[in-house]
Amino acid sequence: MGNTSSAEEIKLGDRIGEGSYGEVFKAVWNGKRVAAKRIRPVFFEGDYDGSIRAAFLEKFKKEWEILRSIDHDNIVKYFTAIVPPSPESPIIVTELLECDLAKHIRNSTTKPKVPFSDVIKIMLDVAEALHYIHTLKEPIVHRDLASKNVLLTKTLHAKIADLGQAKAFPRGAMYATAMPGTPVYAAPETYPTGLGGLPKGDKARYTEKIDIFSFGAMLLEIIIGHLPAHDLPDPILEDGEIVPEYIRRSEDLEEMGPNHPLHSLVLQCLDNIPEKRPNAGKIIEELLKFSKVVDRTLSSSPAGDKVGAMSHIHYDHKFKLVVLGESGVGKTSIVTRFLNANSQLSGITLPRTLQSEDHFQRLRFRDKSVHLHIVDVGGHELARASSLAPQIFRRVRGAVIAFDLLSEMSFLEVPNWVKVVREKCGEELPIVLVGNKDDELERWVDSRRVEEFARRENLFYIESSAKSGKNIDEIFSVLMDLMIESENQKEGESKTSDLVASLQTSLSDRITSQEKSPIAERLLTSRHHALDPGVIELKEEKGNKGTMEQDGGGRKNKSWCCLLN
């Protein structure tokens, strides 16, 4: 085992961190300030004949040979290793950096926690490190990429560290220990029953794309400034189905917002299917597009003027709502018509939604800016939707429950849907009940019976046609009114039930008078769409002092500003 030292050559100081496998100390080695990671002695407990220690050391020596061969500016430098018999546990000596990314985010007092320019700078360094280890002759997979394992210099130069979990993989997928590293960053295929193929005991089949998934989780973390506020739902349901990551992490994705410039990249990295994730090279290409914009902007900005808030868009209201009902009642058609009022659905049969789909809509409503997160719950049977409740119903502020006016059975299931949504979201959740396919001459559901049920359950009832567009905007207008009222409601004020009755009357009056819907300036943002780099436009300032400045040589320099449309 090459490049090792003796215990006498190092002096441990204060402990500065710890992980699953060891503790990290400030230290001095051969007169140099370094970091020293000492493997926990607990790994050798019960080793009466020395076999556990011997096996561990053999594995450690092989991994050390990998670590000492790595040489890249964005990877922490490994200086030496100190192995037993003295000290009792192996010690790995590396360069000492300022702090880790997790601490940098946690201690930041700015808003956002990490300015956009720094996000690009840090994550570009991380991507370049991944590209290096993934493209070696024998690719290395980090397997525990996390913000705690990204170290920063004073100038925010990022270096990935703690490659103790890393493995050298021959080209192609390999079986390795299931769910290595930190769970919140773990890709679904690393779970024993994940998407990576048939498990071998406690092994899972995966490639370097697990690092890309971890990169996406970390990118989301640095953008919103924290890890998930609540424990993430289990990634695998009882029936073995994988839960899409955009559902598991819907709270954080909603906080980031669909209009964030890196929204699309985050979703690509978090794709449940490994082959659909970009490689590190593609990530570098994407980040470089923004890096060039940031560099030009900062170079022309006053000292200390950051572009950290460039991606921030203020909304007066942000609501998440669900669209529920039996399969085939037209939920997806209703959502599609609402998202695109000019869509022509006549004669078109939309494919049934087998999984829940997320859509995002920006619009003006009663002179207020509103961001809607619409979850179109697919054609699950009732029990299936109920099992998805932790993911789907988290932070829901309103619901649309649809039934088919041509199907008595679809209406008979409505009470069960009402029960599910109220159990998960509370009794006072605003609900709009929709009788769809009002354009058909024949109907099998008695409107008077539905109206009586709606009054009894305090639901707003409306009949619509996704095919013709009748009352589609009204469905969401009413629900937004109810959600805004619920949001503003204080103790002692009129209950939502009073507003439901009032809106029921006012809607009839508006339809009679053909008054326009209060929805205006509809701006569609689909689930997988983000602002392209072209949306961040560099425009020459006009009419402002200092627009054209002269440098020392008399040449004129253009002053640029970064605008987010």
Side-chain angles (χ1 to χ4, degrees), residues 297-465:
T297 305
L298 288 178
S299 65
S300 63
S301 299
D305 184 17
K306 298 285 186 178
V307 292
M310 63 183 286
S311 61
H312 177 70
I313 298 177
H314 170 75
Y315 294 100
D316 294 303
H317 302 286
K318 294 179 70 174
F319 297 124
K320 177 182 177 182
L321 60 98
V322 289
V323 181
L324 305 163
E326 292 299 289
S327 179
V329 301
K331 300 185 300 295
T332 299
S333 297
I334 290 171
V335 172
T336 301
R337 172 67 80 168
F338 173 67
L339 295 176
N340 183 4
N342 297 319
S343 59
Q344 299 297 320
L345 300 181
S346 180
I348 298 176
T349 302
L350 294 177
R352 291 190 176 184
T353 305
L354 299 179
Q355 291 186 337
S356 298
E357 291 188 353
D358 290 45
H359 304 273
F360 300 92
Q361 177 81 57
R362 296 176 290 153
L363 47 83
R364 298 289 299 178
F365 179 72
R366 302 195 188 282
D367 294 324
K368 299 291 185 180
S369 59
V370 179
H371 174 273
L372 292 182
H373 175 188
I374 304 171
V375 184
D376 176 10
V377 180
H380 311 91
E381 65 273 14
L382 193 63
R384 177 88 176 101
S386 184
S387 69
L388 283 173
Q391 294 84 12
I392 292 176
F393 293 114
R394 183 176 290 180
R395 296 178 70 179
V396 162
R397 307 293 295 278
V400 173
I401 298 178
F403 68 93
D404 185 347
L405 289 168
L406 307 181
S407 169
E408 174 80 9
M409 186 60 68
S410 69
F411 174 67
L412 292 177
E413 289 294 341
V414 166
N416 294 324
W417 285 108
V418 172
K419 180 181 178 182
V420 166
V421 77
R422 283 180 169 165
E423 283 179 351
K424 305 303 178 184
C425 305
E427 290 292 327
E428 295 300 317
L429 186 82
I431 301 175
V432 173
L433 178 63
V434 179
N436 193 34
K437 304 184 183 178
D438 183 41
D439 54 295
E440 300 291 343
L441 296 177
E442 186 178 11
R443 63 170 65 192
W444 291 86
V445 181
D446 184 0
S447 295
R448 289 172 298 179
R449 180 181 169 196
V450 179
E451 290 167 0
E452 176 58 32
F453 170 77
R455 279 194 297 271
R456 188 169 64 249
E457 294 293 331
N458 189 31
L459 311 178
F460 185 97
Y461 177 57
I462 186 171
E463 295 181 351
S464 70
S465 168

